[in-house]
Amino acid sequence: MSETAERVRVIESRVLSDDWYLLKKTVFEFRRADGSWQRQRRETYDRGNGATLLLYQPDSRRVVLTRQFRFPAFVNGHDGMMVETPAGLLDQATPEQRIRAEVEEETGYRVGEVRKVFEAFMSPGSVTEKLFFFVAEYDAASKVSTGGGIEAEGEDIEVLELPFDEALAMVRRGDIVDGKTIMLLQYAAMHLFITAEHGA
């Protein structure tokens, strides 16, 4: 048991919704730094963990991204058409297994070796999900289908192959506003597409 676990006492946990994923309301006590116990209430959204991957081509300095409609972004003032790296929930698979399958479903590229570069909680104030971040190289021979996602799951995905510099420019312009995608593009700028001016 971690030291933090000894500072948490769960009083009550109640399921608010179990439709799309699991939404719970929990009452707990947390022992503060001064030793006093404070009662708090939090809602947590549990959709499981996920994985995401940036397909990149080092010689041509190109990347593969996707564009699809995201309703939560739409209701928050965005047009909803989000440019993203392929991603998906693990659904009992390992992160490596899931991301290979997801990349092929969404982009049509079949990747072999994938390399995990880091993992992160994307919205730890309310969402339990942890994302595993990967990169993988691709080439023309990797393309085995048109991609586009699974229609039965509501996916209607456009595949975008872009110069890496244009993808970075899209971040600066606000055309890419998805957090996981920005993180992987920034990783690529630091580690995969290093220019002479930035050093090796």
Side-chain angles (χ1 to χ4, degrees):
M1 181 179 290
S2 70
E3 181 180 344
T4 304
E6 296 175 353
R7 299 176 64 183
V8 179
R9 299 191 299 212
V10 175
I11 307 301
E12 178 188 6
S13 184
R14 181 161 54 97
V15 174
L16 300 179
S17 176
D18 191 7
D19 184 8
W20 189 243
Y21 296 110
L22 186 63
L23 178 64
K24 286 184 177 181
K25 181 175 183 178
T26 301
V27 180
F28 65 95
E29 291 181 339
F30 182 76
R31 191 176 68 219
R32 298 172 60 86
D34 64 5
S36 65
W37 289 89
Q38 181 181 40
R39 183 162 293 201
Q40 301 182 26
R41 293 168 175 80
R42 293 291 184 272
E43 291 181 4
T44 55
Y45 191 51
D46 185 352
R47 57 197 303 271
N49 295 328
T52 186
L53 180 144
L54 178 68
L55 284 169
Y56 73 101
Q57 204 172 75
D59 294 337
S60 64
R61 291 180 59 86
R62 298 179 73 82
V63 295
V64 173
L65 301 173
T66 65
R67 182 186 284 122
Q68 62 180 306
F69 179 70
R70 297 295 198 183
F71 184 73
F74 176 75
V75 298
N76 196 24
H78 191 269
D79 69 5
M81 300 304 296
M82 300 285 285
V83 177
E84 307 177 30
T85 49
L89 297 178
L90 301 188
D91 294 330
Q92 309 306 314
T94 67
E96 292 82 0
Q97 291 170 334
R98 186 61 240 157
I99 199 55
R100 284 192 186 94
E102 199 69 32
V103 166
E104 187 169 335
E105 289 171 6
E106 292 192 7
T107 71
Y109 285 94
R110 182 171 295 163
V111 295
E113 181 183 358
V114 298
R115 180 160 57 92
K116 192 180 94 167
V117 292
F118 52 84
E119 52 191 70
F121 290 93
M122 299 302 292
S123 187
S126 58
V127 181
T128 63
E129 180 185 23
K130 179 170 63 175
L131 269 184
F132 297 85
F133 289 74
F134 293 88
V135 296
E137 294 187 32
Y138 76 98
D139 56 28
S142 307
K143 188 76 167 175
V144 296
S145 73
T146 58
I150 300 175
E151 183 178 351
E153 296 180 2
E155 295 180 330
D156 183 16
I157 297 172
E158 179 185 0
V159 182
L160 308 173
E161 186 179 19
L162 302 168
F164 176 66
D165 292 337
E166 172 58 17
L168 286 183
M170 291 174 72
V171 174
R172 291 192 294 270
R173 293 195 304 263
D175 297 329
I176 294 178
V177 292
D178 173 66
K180 66 182 181 296
T181 305
I182 294 171
M183 292 166 71
L184 276 173
L185 289 173
Q186 291 293 337
Y187 175 87
M190 293 186 291
H191 301 285
L192 305 179
F193 294 107
I194 301 173
T195 61
E197 64 184 88
H198 292 104

